[in-house]
Amino acid sequence: MRVHHFHVAYLDKPAAASSSTAETSSTAHPFPSSAAVFPFALRCLRPLAPKLSLPEQPKKMVAPADVLGRVRNATKLLSCTVRNHTVQVPVGGTTRWNPSAEQIKMLEALYRGGMRTPNAAQIERITEELGKHGRIEGKNVFYWFQNHKARERQKQKRAALLTLSTLDSPALPQTTATTKVTSKQQEASDDVPSSKRRCTAWGNNGHGDAAATTTSTGGNATLELFPLRPQGRA
Amino acid sequence: MRVHHFHVAYLDKPAAASSSTAETSSTAHPFPSSAAVFPFALRCLRPLAPKLSLPEQPKKMVAPADVLGRVRNATKLLSCTVRNHTVQVPVGGTTRWNPSAEQIKMLEALYRGGMRTPNAAQIERITEELGKHGRIEGKNVFYWFQNHKARERQKQKRAALLTLSTLDSPALPQTTATTKVTSKQQEASDDVPSSKRRCTAWGNNGHGDAAATTTSTGGNATLELFPLRPQGRA
DNA sequence: GCAAATTAATGATTTATTCAAG
DNA sequence: CTTGAATAAATCATTAATTTGC
């Protein structure tokens, strides 16, 4: 288990310890950086990933922030001293960016225009511009594009699968066995550049991983994932 | 082969007494001590190459006729013999495919789903299916994808440039060189990220430190500022 | 009507992968 | 083989919608 690099921390923003134990030490930020120290660790905030459907785990319980001290996103923390302990409570209005209609409109326009992963300069510019219509930070722009891209992809993949499923009928015998196809993929073109997921998407759903399931419907183990165009190229 | 993730959420990690993801903890000297790392590239040199399409591939698209064994472009051919040569004359009014609304819909769905350059097998299947909604041949499908891809790209490029130009106002200082990036950079980025597109530091809003980030590439005199790249298309 | 309770969206983080330098 | 950089996928968490009982 390797310690992964962690990026995506943003500047001027504490972003207090997220889901894991908040036993943090102090930060190295030049800032006050209110990395919250939470004396009461009551209730574990869920071990980070199980997700294995614990039947009756009351995982839903979304307790009010003021109780659990969700500081994750707080913009500011106020220190108070209680029985010799200094606790910090989130203060300040909203913590999460709430885009205005205008901002969304503009962002979507950019997206439609083809922008997907704006670089720093672009983000800066966009932020500056959108700032005229409401509070916004560069990271908001960054995240917006990330999320939007990912979710659009999801949506479309679903739609495509659906459509394909209707096209799926013939139960192609799948002549050409597998074909390595290398991994080079073809030009990934514009959208959905992801290297391989895309293949799985088109790989003809049968999949379900390995042979295990397969069954009748699609003996079609692997439809050549993305064998390039006819007559293939290199 | 590569069964990819699906996220296993390995168990020994959770509480991971091991102090969670550092965040604030100790060292973590990723590099510029200057606080957080940007989510957005500070200096990127790598196109993340799913789009390696450039290197080789002198190969031009091969007309589907080669693959599907279709004749050029005619719905029907009438054979005539002229001077010992059998020639075929297109017959029956239009020779050009006129996609039905349904066909277009389906093709677009596929496109949105990420399909760009279907292989022969896929084309066959698609053709077969779309054939239920009107006359169509494999080459039509093939050409449709080619054209659609190219035109979408064009459209979006234009739109993006337009949109960006409106956001361009700030008249960014950018005094230092660079301004000539334009043509070359843009063209290159457009479609294929050719080799390297550099990103610039997006100086975190409030705090300079820009210098710190440049470091390694700092010697680099060029520091190009506006790659302005319509990242992929929609 | 309306406020608690649910659910749907979506902003913000973390984890996994990938490619290519070293 | 290891590691930096960049990004996509997965996940977490909060806010807006929507539903529901009164």
Side-chain angles (χ1 to χ4, degrees):
Chain A
M1 179 156 145
R2 229 206 294 289
V3 181
H4 290 71
H5 27 281
F6 54 96
H7 16 158
V8 193
Y10 194 81
L11 207 50
D12 67 6
K13 180 56 171 313
S18 55
S19 48
S20 23
T21 60
E23 189 72 6
T24 88
S25 56
S26 64
T27 70
H29 289 192
F31 263 176
S33 150
S34 37
V37 175
F38 249 77
F40 346 72
L42 63 143
R43 206 97 178 33
C44 46
L45 300 186
R46 167 220 296 258
L48 183 57
K51 194 58 176 179
L52 291 190
S53 69
L54 293 180
E56 73 283 43
Q57 176 88 344
K59 123 187 225 195
K60 207 55 184 202
M61 73 105 199
V62 180
D66 53 339
V67 173
L68 277 183
R70 282 278 165 55
V71 246
R72 177 192 204 178
N73 217 358
T75 48
K76 222 176 233 180
L77 295 176
L78 180 68
S79 295
C80 303
T81 301
V82 179
R83 294 202 309 180
N84 279 356
H85 287 283
T86 297
V87 298
Q88 304 187 309
V89 281
V91 133
T94 179
T95 58
R96 177 171 139 171
W97 173 55
N98 203 11
S100 70
E102 298 232 332
Q103 289 175 331
I104 290 186
K105 221 175 206 167
M106 297 176 86
L107 287 169
E108 284 179 341
L110 288 171
Y111 187 88
R112 275 197 308 277
M115 185 168 280
R116 290 292 180 280
T117 309
N119 60 47
Q122 292 172 313
I123 288 179
E124 199 184 332
R125 261 172 37 179
I126 295 168
T127 301
E128 197 171 341
E129 191 59 29
L130 297 208
K132 297 176 183 171
H133 301 99
R135 175 179 69 84
I136 191 173
E137 293 175 64
K139 65 171 186 179
N140 300 135
V141 174
F142 176 83
Y143 288 139
W144 189 90
F145 276 99
Q146 291 276 314
N147 284 320
H148 198 68
K149 180 167 55 175
R151 283 161 184 160
E152 279 300 301
R153 202 154 21 203
Q154 268 183 19
K155 237 189 294 183
Q156 291 167 349
K157 189 189 284 185
R158 259 199 305 276
L161 280 180
L162 256 174
T163 305
L164 250 199
S165 73
T166 68
L167 295 182
D168 208 2
S169 50
L172 285 209
Q174 191 43 61
T175 59
T176 66
T178 79
T179 53
K180 265 329 190 221
V181 176
T182 78
S183 58
K184 239 35 204 262
Q185 233 75 78
Q186 43 130 61
E187 77 149 336
S189 58
D190 330 315
D191 203 12
V192 194
S194 78
S195 9
K196 66 181 176 208
R197 325 322 160 179
R198 165 187 202 194
C199 294
T200 67
W202 292 109
N204 181 24
N205 47 13
H207 72 357
D209 247 57
T213 61
T214 58
T215 72
S216 58
T217 59
N220 61 27
T222 36
L223 198 163
E224 350 159 22
L225 301 193
F226 243 57
L228 305 324
R229 69 262 338 222
Q231 185 109 337
R233 173 256 194 199
Chain B
M1 329 218 169
R2 218 168 291 230
V3 184
H4 38 293
H5 55 48
F6 256 166
H7 201 255
V8 189
Y10 49 104
L11 300 95
D12 68 319
K13 151 67 167 328
S18 59
S19 79
S20 69
T21 50
E23 163 95 33
T24 63
S25 80
S26 66
T27 64
H29 47 41
F31 35 100
S33 58
S34 61
V37 181
F38 265 111
F40 340 108
L42 287 175
R43 61 189 201 156
C44 50
L45 282 182
R46 192 180 70 98
L48 178 66
K51 327 188 151 188
L52 259 245
S53 59
L54 210 52
E56 67 287 329
Q57 184 174 351
K59 183 71 159 46
K60 239 19 185 135
M61 286 286 185
V62 177
D66 298 345
V67 178
L68 300 178
R70 288 289 162 51
V71 184
R72 209 63 201 266
N73 178 17
T75 47
K76 224 171 235 175
L77 296 177
L78 182 66
S79 294
C80 304
T81 300
V82 180
R83 295 200 307 187
N84 276 356
H85 286 283
T86 297
V87 295
Q88 302 188 309
V89 189
V91 141
T94 180
T95 58
R96 179 169 140 172
W97 172 54
N98 200 14
S100 70
E102 297 237 331
Q103 288 175 332
I104 289 186
K105 220 178 208 168
M106 297 176 90
L107 286 169
E108 284 179 340
L110 289 171
Y111 187 87
R112 278 197 306 276
M115 184 169 279
R116 291 292 181 281
T117 309
N119 61 52
Q122 292 173 312
I123 288 180
E124 258 180 85
R125 252 173 45 179
I126 296 169
T127 302
E128 193 173 343
E129 192 57 30
L130 297 207
K132 297 175 184 172
H133 303 286
R135 174 179 69 82
I136 190 173
E137 295 174 63
K139 64 172 184 179
N140 301 134
V141 173
F142 178 84
Y143 287 138
W144 188 91
F145 276 99
Q146 279 219 129
N147 287 323
H148 197 69
K149 180 168 59 174
R151 284 161 188 159
E152 279 300 301
R153 219 177 253 154
Q154 267 183 16
K155 223 190 307 183
Q156 287 160 357
K157 186 194 300 182
R158 254 198 307 276
L161 285 179
L162 251 175
T163 306
L164 261 192
S165 73
T166 67
L167 292 183
D168 210 1
S169 52
L172 297 198
Q174 303 322 336
T175 53
T176 65
T178 71
T179 6
K180 56 189 58 189
V181 181
T182 59
S183 66
K184 181 180 175 193
Q185 279 285 45
Q186 272 181 261
E187 276 194 340
S189 60
D190 218 342
D191 208 2
V192 185
S194 63
S195 39
K196 55 185 65 181
R197 62 171 185 274
R198 294 64 159 277
C199 300
T200 65
W202 160 24
N204 55 84
N205 306 339
H207 313 344
D209 260 17
T213 63
T214 55
T215 60
S216 62
T217 56
N220 189 345
T222 50
L223 186 64
E224 31 327 293
L225 299 185
F226 275 34
L228 187 60
R229 161 197 181 229
Q231 310 270 357
R233 156 286 172 233

